[in-house]
Every structure is written in C-alpha cells, then in structure tokens.
Amino acid sequence: MQLDVLEQTFKKNFAERGELGASVSVWKDGEEILNLAQGWCEREQVKPWVAETMVPFYSATKALASATLLMLLDENGLTPEDLVCRVWPNFPNSSATFAELMSHQCGLAALDQKASVFEYDAVIAAIEAQEPNWELGDGHGYHPRTFGFLLEEPVRVLSGRPLGEVFHERIAELLELDLWIGLPESEFDRVATLYPGKMEKSDLESGFYKEFNQQGTLVRQAFSSPSGLQGVHEMNKPKAWQSGLPAMGGVGTASSLAKFYQAAIGAIPFFSEDVLGWMKTPVVTGDDRILMTPTRFSCGFQLDPLDADGAKVRQNYGKGMQAFGHPGAGGSHAFGDPETGVSFAYIMNQMDLSVLPGAKSSSLIEALR
C-alpha cells in the first residue's frame, strides 16, 4: 500500500481537479493508518476543512441503513431469504425476499403516486399501491430514493423506531462513529457546504444522462420520486440533515465512515458472522435498468461487476474480489476489503456530476492498491 502516493494524489485533486474541501481515511486491521483533511468548508474560505468536518454523503448512507436492517433480521431469527411480507404484510410483492429487496430487484424504483420524502406514511402508501416497474426475476435496477423507505418500514416493524435512531443507538454509539442518519442540532456547525458539479458535453452523450434528462423515462422517475431534496442547495439546510432519510440523508466524517467498514469486514468485531456474510455475498449482477451500466449487489452493498472471464469490469472497490461498499452522488465513496483488512472513505463538498465514483476518488483508490 503506497500511502505516500495516496497523499500526493489527494493534494493533486486540489491542484488539478477542482477540489474545495475533502477528507480521506484509510483503516487496516482495526487501526486508522491515514487521515487527511484539506481545503475549505465553503467557497468564501471562512472555515478550514479539518478531520472533524462533516458533510452529507448521499447514497453512501444506504450501506449504514442496510447494515441496520440486516442486524435486526438476524436478531429476530430471520435471514435475507425470508419473505418481506412476513414483516411487511402489505408489501406489493408477496413472493419477494429481503435479499431481492435489498439488491434492487423488486421493481419499485419509481412511484406513480405523488409523495414527498418528508411524508413517510404517504411514501409507504405509494409503495404498497405501486405496480412494479418490472417483474421480479427480470433483472435489477438501482432504487436511488425509494430504497431508504423499503429498508425503514421493516426496521420500524421490528424495532418500533425510525431506522436512524436504531442505527445511532445500536451501531454508531457502540462503535464510536461520528455518523448520523438524522443529525442533532448540536452538530450543525460542523457541516460543510455542498456545491453541485457541472455537466460536461460527454455527460450529456452518455446513455444514463440521456435517460435522466428526458421527461417520463424510468430513470428520470426513479431519481425524482419521492419528491423533495432534488437540488444540492436543499441538502445544505438543517431540514435535510435532520430528515433521517436512509437512502440519502447520512452526514458524517470520512474517518468514521471508513471505521464503519472495518466492522462490516470483521476487522473490528461487531456484527455476527451471518451478517458479515450477507453484506459481502453477491446476490445479483447484470445490466442495471436505472444506472444503465453493469452493476453487482449484495444485500444493500455494491461490488464491482465481473466480465465473462471473472475479471473486474471496473475497480471502484479496488482489486479485491470480495471488496464491497457504496458510493454517494457527487463523489463520496467508501468500502472495505475482507481479504486485506483495509477500508477506505472519501468525502468532499465540491461535487462531481456522477452517481458512481469519479476521477477524484478513483485516483485515490488507484493509489491505495
């Protein structure tokens, strides 16, 4: 592992790739071996970005939320192979398992009924009334927004509490993680300001963005339902930080995000062997109906897809064949590798236009090998 090269690459992101403020953390075998922080919390350069700076990291939250549900399933004598309807009787597909739900196979990526992300009951009603976007067994497609509600309803049934509260009390506090799905007011002054990425011509020509920018497409609908928090400026408001949305509402530091993955790969003893297995074991792979590129999922986590010869199509999670994690829109990224005992997290406030890791985080992962 070339930590000096990683540090040079981190600085290069500021010099050549428009980085504003960012942190990167690397852990190995239960210990943090690198923690870098640089830049500014806002463009006006008022508050320096430090290791304790937090920022919303969008869909990287899905990993924290998935671990919470898997833990509760295990504690209640259930497995991912159990039917969702055992816990959620009104779930719209009575034959779907938790493994299928958590690997984006249930075709509930877009909702026909209008509902806001802040209207929990209305979103659950819309999910229960939804005709699936595709048939179960007919592939998979990333659920960018609905995924959090699909996890939260079983958590509420099993625990009687919102997912963010369970995550905080059962995982974050015990592991001493500075991660939140529902940020308390006492931490507001530590949150950096996010800035949106700019769309390049090459982005407009990609299959994903052609679908994303066209009204009425499934891709567009998936990224706009439930409604609310569509703009980056909305994510800079306390209402977003406090929302506790398990698909996109996480806020925290890079060090704690990387430490979470130490627990997820077993380098820090915490989760049961069954839960550790469910996190890393692939469930589905193939062309993603929403992201318009090959993807591979375990129960709530991403892995790099493989080609016909078993080689990685891309290396968002490094070289390790068992490495898994989850990116966040705009560039935040985190993962762990059970084979090497290494985990990694990167957060920033100058976003790229990407739903998968971009050049800034990819270059750091390259240096990590």
Side-chain angles (χ1 to χ4, degrees):
M1 189 183 307
Q2 298 175 300
L3 295 181
D4 57 335
V5 176
L6 193 150
E7 183 170 1
Q8 293 168 15
T9 304
F10 182 69
K11 292 178 179 179
K12 185 177 180 180
N13 282 343
F14 287 87
E16 300 181 10
R17 297 192 175 101
E19 196 76 281
L20 177 60
S23 299
V24 62
S25 174
V26 180
W27 289 63
K28 180 175 174 59
D29 299 332
E31 301 290 337
E32 189 170 35
I33 59 174
L34 183 73
N35 186 342
L36 302 175
Q38 185 177 324
W40 299 93
C41 291
E42 65 290 295
R43 285 178 177 165
E44 294 78 11
Q45 298 188 1
V46 175
K47 186 186 295 185
W49 183 295
V50 295
E52 293 74 30
T53 296
M54 299 194 294
V55 74
F57 42 66
Y58 283 89
S59 286
T61 317
K62 289 180 171 73
L64 314 180
S66 296
T68 305
L69 176 54
L70 291 174
M71 184 180 69
L72 287 182
L73 291 178
D74 189 39
E75 291 177 355
N76 284 273
L78 299 167
T79 78
E81 298 309 314
D82 279 299
L83 298 177
V84 178
C85 64
R86 286 190 59 182
V87 175
W88 186 350
N90 293 329
F91 189 71
N93 191 321
S94 60
S95 64
T97 66
F98 281 102
E100 290 165 332
L101 180 148
M102 298 182 75
S103 57
H104 304 267
Q105 296 187 67
C106 288
L108 299 169
L111 302 177
D112 296 326
Q113 290 187 8
K114 302 295 184 184
S116 164
V117 292
F118 299 112
E119 300 170 337
Y120 182 81
D121 291 341
V123 176
I124 296 303
I127 290 172
E128 292 177 348
Q130 182 65 40
E131 184 73 24
N133 310 138
W134 61 84
E135 294 296 321
L136 190 65
D138 191 21
H140 72 285
Y142 184 55
H143 291 43
R145 290 176 154 251
T146 59
F147 191 76
F149 295 91
L150 295 173
L151 299 186
E152 174 131 16
E153 182 63 10
V155 167
R156 290 193 180 197
V157 172
L158 292 170
S159 71
R161 293 184 297 158
L163 188 150
E165 289 183 12
V166 179
F167 168 75
H168 178 69
E169 293 181 16
R170 299 294 313 281
I171 297 178
E173 275 196 337
L174 298 178
L175 284 169
E176 299 181 335
L177 302 178
D178 203 359
L179 301 174
W180 306 84
I181 307 176
L183 188 70
E185 188 174 349
S186 61
E187 309 301 318
F188 284 1
D189 64 351
R190 298 172 54 205
V191 183
T193 302
L194 285 169
Y195 296 93
K198 295 181 180 180
M199 185 171 286
E200 305 291 341
K201 183 179 179 181
S202 59
D203 296 319
L204 292 169
E205 295 172 350
S206 72
F208 170 78
Y209 280 106
K210 282 182 179 178
E211 294 290 307
F212 180 81
N213 290 313
Q214 184 175 337
Q215 290 288 345
T217 65
L218 181 60
V219 172
R220 178 66 171 256
Q221 291 172 338
F223 279 88
S224 59
S225 64
S227 63
L229 297 182
Q230 241 87 49
V232 173
H233 68 282
E234 295 179 86
M235 295 296 288
N236 287 323
K237 298 178 180 179
K239 185 177 182 180
W241 309 337
Q242 292 178 304
S243 66
L245 295 172
M248 55 188 282
V251 184
T253 66
S255 180
S256 286
L257 197 52
K259 186 179 180 182
F260 164 79
Y261 278 97
Q262 285 288 285
I265 64 176
I268 294 177
F270 186 78
F271 295 108
S272 73
E273 288 298 320
D274 283 339
V275 171
L276 293 175
W278 299 336
M279 290 180 186
K280 69 182 180 182
T281 302
V283 175
V284 69
T285 188
D287 291 333
D288 194 300
R289 289 173 173 266
I290 303 299
L291 297 180
M292 310 291 289
T293 188
T295 55
R296 189 163 64 131
F297 289 97
S298 64
C299 287
F301 297 81
Q302 287 191 23
L303 303 91
D304 287 319
L306 308 178
D307 63 19
D309 296 322
K312 286 195 171 192
V313 173
R314 52 181 179 262
Q315 295 191 1
N316 288 339
Y317 302 100
K319 289 185 176 181
M321 299 303 290
Q322 294 185 42
F324 63 93
H326 212 292
S332 292
H333 190 41
F335 68 90
D337 186 345
E339 294 176 276
T340 63
V342 171
S343 62
F344 165 94
Y346 158 80
I347 61 172
M348 76 298 125
N349 60 345
Q350 177 53 66
M351 300 173 67
D352 294 327
L353 193 72
S354 61
V355 290
L356 293 174
K360 290 187 290 187
S361 58
S362 296
S363 64
L364 294 170
I365 296 166
E366 177 71 27
L368 186 64
R369 297 172 190 172

Short mmCIF file of all heavy atoms in Angstrom, two decimals, residues 162-219:
data_model
loop_
_atom_site.label_atom_id
_atom_site.label_comp_id
_atom_site.label_asym_id
_atom_site.label_seq_id
_atom_site.Cartn_x
_atom_site.Cartn_y
_atom_site.Cartn_z
N PRO A 162 -37.71 4.66 14.25
CA PRO A 162 -37.13 5.00 12.96
C PRO A 162 -35.73 4.40 12.80
O PRO A 162 -35.00 4.23 13.77
CB PRO A 162 -37.06 6.54 12.99
CG PRO A 162 -38.11 6.94 13.97
CD PRO A 162 -38.10 5.86 15.01
N LEU A 163 -35.38 4.13 11.55
CA LEU A 163 -34.09 3.48 11.27
C LEU A 163 -32.92 4.30 11.79
O LEU A 163 -31.97 3.75 12.34
CB LEU A 163 -33.97 3.24 9.77
CG LEU A 163 -32.78 2.40 9.30
CD1 LEU A 163 -33.13 1.63 8.04
CD2 LEU A 163 -31.53 3.23 9.06
N GLY A 164 -32.97 5.63 11.60
CA GLY A 164 -31.87 6.47 12.04
C GLY A 164 -31.59 6.36 13.53
O GLY A 164 -30.43 6.37 13.96
N GLU A 165 -32.63 6.24 14.33
CA GLU A 165 -32.46 6.09 15.77
C GLU A 165 -31.82 4.74 16.10
O GLU A 165 -30.94 4.65 16.97
CB GLU A 165 -33.81 6.20 16.47
CG GLU A 165 -34.41 7.59 16.48
CD GLU A 165 -35.70 7.64 17.26
OE1 GLU A 165 -36.02 6.65 17.98
OE2 GLU A 165 -36.40 8.67 17.18
N VAL A 166 -32.28 3.70 15.42
CA VAL A 166 -31.71 2.37 15.67
C VAL A 166 -30.25 2.34 15.26
O VAL A 166 -29.39 1.81 15.99
CB VAL A 166 -32.51 1.28 14.90
CG1 VAL A 166 -31.89 -0.10 15.14
CG2 VAL A 166 -33.97 1.29 15.34
N PHE A 167 -29.93 2.91 14.10
CA PHE A 167 -28.53 2.96 13.67
C PHE A 167 -27.67 3.67 14.70
O PHE A 167 -26.58 3.21 15.05
CB PHE A 167 -28.41 3.66 12.31
CG PHE A 167 -26.98 3.99 11.95
CD1 PHE A 167 -26.11 3.00 11.54
CD2 PHE A 167 -26.51 5.30 12.05
CE1 PHE A 167 -24.78 3.30 11.23
CE2 PHE A 167 -25.19 5.60 11.76
CZ PHE A 167 -24.33 4.60 11.35
N HIS A 168 -28.16 4.80 15.20
CA HIS A 168 -27.36 5.59 16.14
C HIS A 168 -27.12 4.81 17.43
O HIS A 168 -25.96 4.73 17.90
CB HIS A 168 -28.06 6.91 16.45
CG HIS A 168 -27.32 7.75 17.44
ND1 HIS A 168 -26.10 8.34 17.16
CD2 HIS A 168 -27.59 8.08 18.73
CE1 HIS A 168 -25.67 9.00 18.21
NE2 HIS A 168 -26.55 8.85 19.18
N GLU A 169 -28.16 4.24 17.99
CA GLU A 169 -28.04 3.59 19.30
C GLU A 169 -27.39 2.22 19.23
O GLU A 169 -26.64 1.84 20.13
CB GLU A 169 -29.42 3.47 19.95
CG GLU A 169 -30.03 4.81 20.32
CD GLU A 169 -31.38 4.67 20.99
OE1 GLU A 169 -31.72 3.54 21.45
OE2 GLU A 169 -32.13 5.68 21.05
N ARG A 170 -27.63 1.48 18.14
CA ARG A 170 -27.18 0.09 18.07
C ARG A 170 -25.87 -0.08 17.32
O ARG A 170 -25.22 -1.12 17.45
CB ARG A 170 -28.27 -0.77 17.41
CG ARG A 170 -29.61 -0.79 18.17
CD ARG A 170 -29.47 -1.47 19.53
NE ARG A 170 -28.75 -2.71 19.40
CZ ARG A 170 -29.29 -3.86 18.96
NH1 ARG A 170 -30.56 -3.90 18.61
NH2 ARG A 170 -28.57 -4.95 18.88
N ILE A 171 -25.50 0.91 16.51
CA ILE A 171 -24.26 0.79 15.72
C ILE A 171 -23.32 1.97 15.98
O ILE A 171 -22.21 1.79 16.47
CB ILE A 171 -24.57 0.65 14.21
CG1 ILE A 171 -25.37 -0.64 13.95
CG2 ILE A 171 -23.28 0.64 13.41
CD1 ILE A 171 -25.77 -0.84 12.50
N ALA A 172 -23.76 3.18 15.68
CA ALA A 172 -22.86 4.34 15.74
C ALA A 172 -22.32 4.60 17.14
O ALA A 172 -21.12 4.81 17.32
CB ALA A 172 -23.58 5.58 15.22
N GLU A 173 -23.19 4.58 18.15
CA GLU A 173 -22.72 4.86 19.52
C GLU A 173 -21.77 3.77 20.00
O GLU A 173 -20.74 4.07 20.61
CB GLU A 173 -23.92 4.96 20.47
CG GLU A 173 -24.55 6.34 20.51
CD GLU A 173 -25.46 6.51 21.71
OE1 GLU A 173 -25.94 5.50 22.26
OE2 GLU A 173 -25.68 7.67 22.10
N LEU A 174 -22.09 2.52 19.73
CA LEU A 174 -21.27 1.42 20.23
C LEU A 174 -19.91 1.36 19.55
O LEU A 174 -18.91 0.99 20.17
CB LEU A 174 -22.02 0.09 20.06
CG LEU A 174 -23.34 -0.02 20.83
CD1 LEU A 174 -24.01 -1.37 20.55
CD2 LEU A 174 -23.12 0.16 22.33
N LEU A 175 -19.87 1.74 18.28
CA LEU A 175 -18.60 1.75 17.54
C LEU A 175 -17.90 3.11 17.62
O LEU A 175 -16.82 3.28 17.05
CB LEU A 175 -18.84 1.39 16.07
CG LEU A 175 -19.11 -0.09 15.77
CD1 LEU A 175 -19.59 -0.27 14.33
CD2 LEU A 175 -17.86 -0.93 16.02
N GLU A 176 -18.52 4.06 18.31
CA GLU A 176 -18.00 5.43 18.43
C GLU A 176 -17.77 6.05 17.05
O GLU A 176 -16.69 6.55 16.74
CB GLU A 176 -16.71 5.45 19.27
CG GLU A 176 -16.93 4.95 20.69
CD GLU A 176 -15.67 4.99 21.54
OE1 GLU A 176 -14.55 4.95 20.95
OE2 GLU A 176 -15.77 5.09 22.76
N LEU A 177 -18.84 6.02 16.26
CA LEU A 177 -18.80 6.56 14.90
C LEU A 177 -19.44 7.94 14.86
O LEU A 177 -20.54 8.15 15.39
CB LEU A 177 -19.57 5.64 13.94
CG LEU A 177 -19.10 4.18 13.84
CD1 LEU A 177 -20.00 3.41 12.89
CD2 LEU A 177 -17.65 4.11 13.40
N ASP A 178 -18.78 8.85 14.22
CA ASP A 178 -19.31 10.20 14.02
C ASP A 178 -20.11 10.21 12.71
O ASP A 178 -19.78 10.91 11.76
CB ASP A 178 -18.14 11.19 13.96
CG ASP A 178 -18.54 12.61 14.32
OD1 ASP A 178 -19.75 12.82 14.59
OD2 ASP A 178 -17.67 13.49 14.31
N LEU A 179 -21.16 9.38 12.71
CA LEU A 179 -22.03 9.23 11.55
C LEU A 179 -23.48 9.35 12.03
O LEU A 179 -23.83 8.82 13.09
CB LEU A 179 -21.85 7.85 10.89
CG LEU A 179 -20.46 7.48 10.37
CD1 LEU A 179 -20.45 6.03 9.90
CD2 LEU A 179 -20.04 8.41 9.23
N TRP A 180 -24.30 9.99 11.21
CA TRP A 180 -25.67 10.25 11.62
C TRP A 180 -26.63 10.04 10.46
O TRP A 180 -26.37 10.47 9.34
CB TRP A 180 -25.81 11.70 12.11
CG TRP A 180 -24.85 12.07 13.20
CD1 TRP A 180 -23.56 12.50 13.05
CD2 TRP A 180 -25.09 12.02 14.61
NE1 TRP A 180 -22.98 12.73 14.27
CE2 TRP A 180 -23.91 12.45 15.25
CE3 TRP A 180 -26.20 11.67 15.39
CZ2 TRP A 180 -23.79 12.54 16.63
CZ3 TRP A 180 -26.09 11.76 16.77
CH2 TRP A 180 -24.90 12.18 17.37
N ILE A 181 -27.75 9.40 10.73
CA ILE A 181 -28.91 9.39 9.83
C ILE A 181 -29.99 10.13 10.60
O ILE A 181 -30.86 9.53 11.23
CB ILE A 181 -29.33 7.96 9.45
CG1 ILE A 181 -28.15 7.16 8.89
CG2 ILE A 181 -30.45 7.99 8.41
CD1 ILE A 181 -28.46 5.71 8.59
N GLY A 182 -29.91 11.45 10.57
CA GLY A 182 -30.72 12.31 11.41
C GLY A 182 -29.80 13.07 12.35
O GLY A 182 -29.52 12.64 13.47
N LEU A 183 -29.27 14.21 11.88
CA LEU A 183 -28.23 14.94 12.61
C LEU A 183 -28.83 15.81 13.70
O LEU A 183 -29.75 16.59 13.45
CB LEU A 183 -27.44 15.81 11.63
CG LEU A 183 -26.19 16.51 12.17
CD1 LEU A 183 -25.10 15.50 12.45
CD2 LEU A 183 -25.71 17.56 11.16
N PRO A 184 -28.31 15.73 14.95
CA PRO A 184 -28.80 16.61 16.01
C PRO A 184 -28.32 18.04 15.82
O PRO A 184 -27.26 18.28 15.22
CB PRO A 184 -28.22 16.00 17.29
CG PRO A 184 -27.00 15.27 16.83
CD PRO A 184 -27.30 14.78 15.44
N GLU A 185 -29.07 18.99 16.34
CA GLU A 185 -28.76 20.41 16.17
C GLU A 185 -27.39 20.76 16.73
O GLU A 185 -26.72 21.67 16.23
CB GLU A 185 -29.84 21.26 16.85
CG GLU A 185 -29.73 22.73 16.57
CD GLU A 185 -30.89 23.53 17.13
OE1 GLU A 185 -31.88 22.91 17.56
OE2 GLU A 185 -30.80 24.78 17.13
N SER A 186 -26.94 20.03 17.74
CA SER A 186 -25.65 20.32 18.36
C SER A 186 -24.47 20.16 17.39
O SER A 186 -23.39 20.69 17.64
CB SER A 186 -25.44 19.39 19.56
OG SER A 186 -25.45 18.02 19.16
N GLU A 187 -24.68 19.46 16.27
CA GLU A 187 -23.60 19.20 15.32
C GLU A 187 -23.69 20.06 14.06
O GLU A 187 -22.85 19.92 13.17
CB GLU A 187 -23.62 17.71 14.91
CG GLU A 187 -23.64 16.73 16.06
CD GLU A 187 -22.45 16.86 16.98
OE1 GLU A 187 -21.33 17.04 16.47
OE2 GLU A 187 -22.64 16.80 18.22
N PHE A 188 -24.66 20.94 13.97
CA PHE A 188 -24.90 21.68 12.73
C PHE A 188 -23.69 22.49 12.27
O PHE A 188 -23.41 22.59 11.08
CB PHE A 188 -26.10 22.63 12.89
CG PHE A 188 -27.44 21.96 12.84
CD1 PHE A 188 -27.57 20.59 12.70
CD2 PHE A 188 -28.60 22.71 12.95
CE1 PHE A 188 -28.81 19.97 12.67
CE2 PHE A 188 -29.85 22.13 12.91
CZ PHE A 188 -29.96 20.75 12.78
N ASP A 189 -22.95 23.08 13.22
CA ASP A 189 -21.87 23.99 12.83
C ASP A 189 -20.65 23.26 12.29
O ASP A 189 -19.68 23.90 11.85
CB ASP A 189 -21.47 24.88 14.00
CG ASP A 189 -20.89 24.11 15.18
OD1 ASP A 189 -20.97 22.86 15.18
OD2 ASP A 189 -20.38 24.76 16.11
N ARG A 190 -20.68 21.94 12.28
CA ARG A 190 -19.56 21.16 11.74
C ARG A 190 -19.78 20.73 10.29
O ARG A 190 -18.91 20.09 9.70
CB ARG A 190 -19.33 19.91 12.60
CG ARG A 190 -18.95 20.21 14.05
CD ARG A 190 -18.95 18.94 14.87
NE ARG A 190 -18.10 17.93 14.26
CZ ARG A 190 -18.25 16.62 14.45
NH1 ARG A 190 -19.22 16.17 15.23
NH2 ARG A 190 -17.43 15.77 13.87
N VAL A 191 -20.93 21.06 9.71
CA VAL A 191 -21.29 20.58 8.38
C VAL A 191 -20.82 21.55 7.31
O VAL A 191 -21.14 22.74 7.34
CB VAL A 191 -22.81 20.36 8.26
CG1 VAL A 191 -23.15 19.78 6.88
CG2 VAL A 191 -23.31 19.42 9.36
N ALA A 192 -20.05 21.04 6.35
CA ALA A 192 -19.57 21.86 5.24
C ALA A 192 -20.67 22.08 4.21
O ALA A 192 -21.64 21.33 4.13
CB ALA A 192 -18.37 21.18 4.58
N THR A 193 -20.50 23.12 3.40
CA THR A 193 -21.45 23.45 2.35
C THR A 193 -21.14 22.66 1.08
O THR A 193 -20.00 22.63 0.62
CB THR A 193 -21.40 24.96 2.02
OG1 THR A 193 -21.68 25.69 3.22
CG2 THR A 193 -22.39 25.33 0.95
N LEU A 194 -22.17 22.02 0.53
CA LEU A 194 -22.03 21.28 -0.72
C LEU A 194 -22.21 22.20 -1.92
O LEU A 194 -23.01 23.14 -1.88
CB LEU A 194 -23.09 20.17 -0.81
CG LEU A 194 -22.90 18.92 0.04
CD1 LEU A 194 -24.17 18.09 0.02
CD2 LEU A 194 -21.72 18.10 -0.45
N TYR A 195 -21.47 21.90 -3.02
CA TYR A 195 -21.60 22.65 -4.26
C TYR A 195 -21.79 21.67 -5.41
O TYR A 195 -21.07 20.67 -5.50
CB TYR A 195 -20.36 23.52 -4.50
CG TYR A 195 -20.18 24.57 -3.43
CD1 TYR A 195 -19.37 24.33 -2.31
CD2 TYR A 195 -20.84 25.79 -3.53
CE1 TYR A 195 -19.22 25.29 -1.32
CE2 TYR A 195 -20.68 26.76 -2.54
CZ TYR A 195 -19.88 26.50 -1.44
OH TYR A 195 -19.75 27.45 -0.45
N PRO A 196 -22.76 21.94 -6.30
CA PRO A 196 -23.07 20.98 -7.37
C PRO A 196 -21.99 20.90 -8.43
O PRO A 196 -21.25 21.86 -8.66
CB PRO A 196 -24.38 21.52 -7.96
CG PRO A 196 -24.35 22.98 -7.65
CD PRO A 196 -23.65 23.11 -6.33
N GLY A 197 -21.91 19.75 -9.07
CA GLY A 197 -20.99 19.57 -10.18
C GLY A 197 -21.55 20.15 -11.46
O GLY A 197 -22.76 20.42 -11.58
N LYS A 198 -20.71 20.35 -12.44
CA LYS A 198 -21.12 20.89 -13.73
C LYS A 198 -21.21 19.76 -14.76
O LYS A 198 -20.39 18.85 -14.78
CB LYS A 198 -20.12 21.95 -14.20
CG LYS A 198 -20.08 23.19 -13.32
CD LYS A 198 -19.11 24.21 -13.86
CE LYS A 198 -19.07 25.46 -12.97
NZ LYS A 198 -18.12 26.47 -13.48
N MET A 199 -22.21 19.87 -15.61
CA MET A 199 -22.41 18.85 -16.64
C MET A 199 -21.54 19.17 -17.86
O MET A 199 -21.56 20.27 -18.39
CB MET A 199 -23.88 18.80 -17.04
CG MET A 199 -24.21 17.68 -18.02
SD MET A 199 -25.99 17.47 -18.26
CE MET A 199 -26.45 16.70 -16.72
N GLU A 200 -20.75 18.18 -18.27
CA GLU A 200 -19.92 18.31 -19.46
C GLU A 200 -20.66 17.72 -20.67
O GLU A 200 -21.62 16.96 -20.53
CB GLU A 200 -18.59 17.58 -19.26
CG GLU A 200 -17.82 18.01 -18.02
CD GLU A 200 -17.27 19.41 -18.13
OE1 GLU A 200 -17.16 19.92 -19.27
OE2 GLU A 200 -16.96 20.00 -17.08
N LYS A 201 -20.18 18.03 -21.86
CA LYS A 201 -20.80 17.53 -23.08
C LYS A 201 -20.79 16.00 -23.12
O LYS A 201 -21.76 15.38 -23.54
CB LYS A 201 -20.07 18.08 -24.31
CG LYS A 201 -20.71 17.67 -25.62
CD LYS A 201 -19.99 18.26 -26.81
CE LYS A 201 -20.65 17.81 -28.13
NZ LYS A 201 -19.95 18.36 -29.30
N SER A 202 -19.69 15.40 -22.65
CA SER A 202 -19.61 13.93 -22.64
C SER A 202 -20.67 13.32 -21.73
O SER A 202 -21.17 12.23 -21.99
CB SER A 202 -18.22 13.48 -22.19
OG SER A 202 -17.93 13.98 -20.89
N ASP A 203 -21.03 14.04 -20.64
CA ASP A 203 -22.08 13.56 -19.76
C ASP A 203 -23.41 13.50 -20.50
O ASP A 203 -24.18 12.55 -20.36
CB ASP A 203 -22.22 14.45 -18.52
CG ASP A 203 -20.98 14.44 -17.66
OD1 ASP A 203 -20.39 13.36 -17.49
OD2 ASP A 203 -20.59 15.51 -17.17
N LEU A 204 -23.70 14.54 -21.26
CA LEU A 204 -24.96 14.62 -21.99
C LEU A 204 -25.10 13.50 -23.01
O LEU A 204 -26.21 13.11 -23.37
CB LEU A 204 -25.06 15.98 -22.70
CG LEU A 204 -25.20 17.21 -21.79
CD1 LEU A 204 -25.02 18.48 -22.61
CD2 LEU A 204 -26.55 17.21 -21.10
N GLU A 205 -23.96 12.97 -23.49
CA GLU A 205 -24.00 11.95 -24.52
C GLU A 205 -24.09 10.54 -23.95
O GLU A 205 -24.32 9.58 -24.70
CB GLU A 205 -22.76 12.08 -25.41
CG GLU A 205 -22.72 13.38 -26.21
CD GLU A 205 -21.41 13.60 -26.94
OE1 GLU A 205 -20.46 12.84 -26.66
OE2 GLU A 205 -21.34 14.53 -27.76
N SER A 206 -23.90 10.38 -22.64
CA SER A 206 -23.96 9.04 -22.06
C SER A 206 -25.38 8.53 -22.00
O SER A 206 -26.34 9.31 -21.94
CB SER A 206 -23.36 9.06 -20.64
OG SER A 206 -24.24 9.72 -19.74
N GLY A 207 -25.54 7.21 -22.03
CA GLY A 207 -26.87 6.61 -22.01
C GLY A 207 -27.66 6.98 -20.78
O GLY A 207 -28.85 7.29 -20.85
N PHE A 208 -26.97 6.99 -19.62
CA PHE A 208 -27.65 7.31 -18.37
C PHE A 208 -28.21 8.73 -18.41
O PHE A 208 -29.38 8.97 -18.10
CB PHE A 208 -26.71 7.15 -17.18
CG PHE A 208 -27.29 7.69 -15.90
CD1 PHE A 208 -28.22 6.97 -15.19
CD2 PHE A 208 -26.89 8.94 -15.43
CE1 PHE A 208 -28.77 7.49 -14.01
CE2 PHE A 208 -27.42 9.46 -14.26
CZ PHE A 208 -28.37 8.73 -13.55
N TYR A 209 -27.39 9.71 -18.76
CA TYR A 209 -27.84 11.10 -18.71
C TYR A 209 -28.85 11.43 -19.82
O TYR A 209 -29.68 12.32 -19.66
CB TYR A 209 -26.65 12.06 -18.73
CG TYR A 209 -26.04 12.18 -17.36
CD1 TYR A 209 -24.83 11.57 -17.05
CD2 TYR A 209 -26.70 12.86 -16.34
CE1 TYR A 209 -24.30 11.65 -15.78
CE2 TYR A 209 -26.18 12.95 -15.06
CZ TYR A 209 -24.98 12.35 -14.79
OH TYR A 209 -24.44 12.41 -13.53
N LYS A 210 -28.80 10.72 -20.93
CA LYS A 210 -29.84 10.89 -21.94
C LYS A 210 -31.20 10.50 -21.34
O LYS A 210 -32.20 11.20 -21.54
CB LYS A 210 -29.54 10.04 -23.17
CG LYS A 210 -28.48 10.62 -24.09
CD LYS A 210 -28.29 9.74 -25.32
CE LYS A 210 -27.25 10.34 -26.25
NZ LYS A 210 -27.01 9.49 -27.44
N GLU A 211 -31.22 9.39 -20.63
CA GLU A 211 -32.46 8.95 -19.99
C GLU A 211 -32.84 9.86 -18.82
O GLU A 211 -34.00 10.20 -18.63
CB GLU A 211 -32.32 7.51 -19.50
CG GLU A 211 -32.16 6.47 -20.60
CD GLU A 211 -33.44 6.30 -21.39
OE1 GLU A 211 -34.49 6.05 -20.77
OE2 GLU A 211 -33.39 6.43 -22.63
N PHE A 212 -31.84 10.25 -18.05
CA PHE A 212 -32.08 11.09 -16.87
C PHE A 212 -32.67 12.45 -17.25
O PHE A 212 -33.51 13.00 -16.54
CB PHE A 212 -30.77 11.28 -16.12
CG PHE A 212 -30.88 12.14 -14.88
CD1 PHE A 212 -31.35 11.61 -13.70
CD2 PHE A 212 -30.52 13.48 -14.92
CE1 PHE A 212 -31.46 12.40 -12.54
CE2 PHE A 212 -30.62 14.28 -13.79
CZ PHE A 212 -31.09 13.74 -12.59
N ASN A 213 -32.22 12.99 -18.38
CA ASN A 213 -32.66 14.33 -18.79
C ASN A 213 -33.92 14.33 -19.64
O ASN A 213 -34.36 15.38 -20.10
CB ASN A 213 -31.54 15.03 -19.54
CG ASN A 213 -30.39 15.42 -18.62
OD1 ASN A 213 -30.60 15.97 -17.55
ND2 ASN A 213 -29.17 15.13 -19.04
N GLN A 214 -34.51 13.16 -19.86
CA GLN A 214 -35.72 13.06 -20.68
C GLN A 214 -36.93 12.81 -19.80
O GLN A 214 -36.97 11.85 -19.03
CB GLN A 214 -35.56 11.94 -21.71
CG GLN A 214 -36.74 11.84 -22.67
CD GLN A 214 -36.50 10.80 -23.75
OE1 GLN A 214 -35.35 10.46 -24.05
NE2 GLN A 214 -37.56 10.29 -24.34
N GLN A 215 -37.91 13.69 -19.89
CA GLN A 215 -39.12 13.57 -19.09
C GLN A 215 -39.82 12.24 -19.38
O GLN A 215 -39.90 11.79 -20.51
CB GLN A 215 -40.08 14.72 -19.41
CG GLN A 215 -39.61 16.07 -18.92
CD GLN A 215 -39.71 16.22 -17.41
OE1 GLN A 215 -40.37 15.43 -16.74
NE2 GLN A 215 -39.05 17.23 -16.87
N GLY A 216 -40.32 11.62 -18.30
CA GLY A 216 -41.14 10.43 -18.45
C GLY A 216 -40.39 9.12 -18.48
O GLY A 216 -41.01 8.06 -18.43
N THR A 217 -39.05 9.14 -18.54
CA THR A 217 -38.31 7.89 -18.54
C THR A 217 -38.28 7.28 -17.14
O THR A 217 -38.43 7.99 -16.14
CB THR A 217 -36.87 8.09 -19.03
OG1 THR A 217 -36.18 8.93 -18.09
CG2 THR A 217 -36.84 8.73 -20.41
N LEU A 218 -38.07 5.99 -17.08
CA LEU A 218 -37.99 5.32 -15.79
C LEU A 218 -36.82 5.85 -14.97
O LEU A 218 -36.93 6.02 -13.75
CB LEU A 218 -37.86 3.80 -16.00
CG LEU A 218 -37.79 2.95 -14.72
CD1 LEU A 218 -39.04 3.13 -13.87
CD2 LEU A 218 -37.60 1.47 -15.09
N VAL A 219 -35.71 6.14 -15.64
CA VAL A 219 -34.54 6.68 -14.95
C VAL A 219 -34.88 8.02 -14.30
O VAL A 219 -34.58 8.26 -13.13
CB VAL A 219 -33.35 6.83 -15.91
CG1 VAL A 219 -32.20 7.57 -15.25
CG2 VAL A 219 -32.89 5.46 -16.40
#
